[in-house]
Amino acid sequence: MLNVEVQGTKIVLTEISDQWGEECHTFLGRPAMMQWANERFAKERFDGTEEERQAIMDAFDQV
């Protein structure tokens, strides 16, 4: 599960998983967050359909 909050000029992303627990990422701008998202959800490493991956990336685009 991902939770994204915009806090002034910062974007705080919290990634929660039952395997790794909670991990928090702080980005100083949208381009940095999008770079992280593109690396985290890379096509070659994503375990799911391209439609699922595209839905995730579309949600990031709306932040």
Side-chain angles (χ1 to χ4, degrees), residues 18-32:
D18 55 357
Q19 185 178 21
W20 300 104
E22 186 175 300
E23 189 172 347
C24 187
H25 306 277
T26 302
F27 304 102
L28 297 179
R30 190 174 175 281

Side-chain angles (χ1 to χ4, degrees), residues 24-45:
C24 187
H25 306 277
T26 302
F27 304 102
L28 297 179
R30 190 174 175 281
M33 179 193 67
M34 291 306 293
Q35 179 181 352
W36 176 87
N38 282 319
E39 292 172 8
R40 170 68 173 81
F41 298 103
K43 287 182 182 183
E44 52 276 351
R45 294 189 337 218

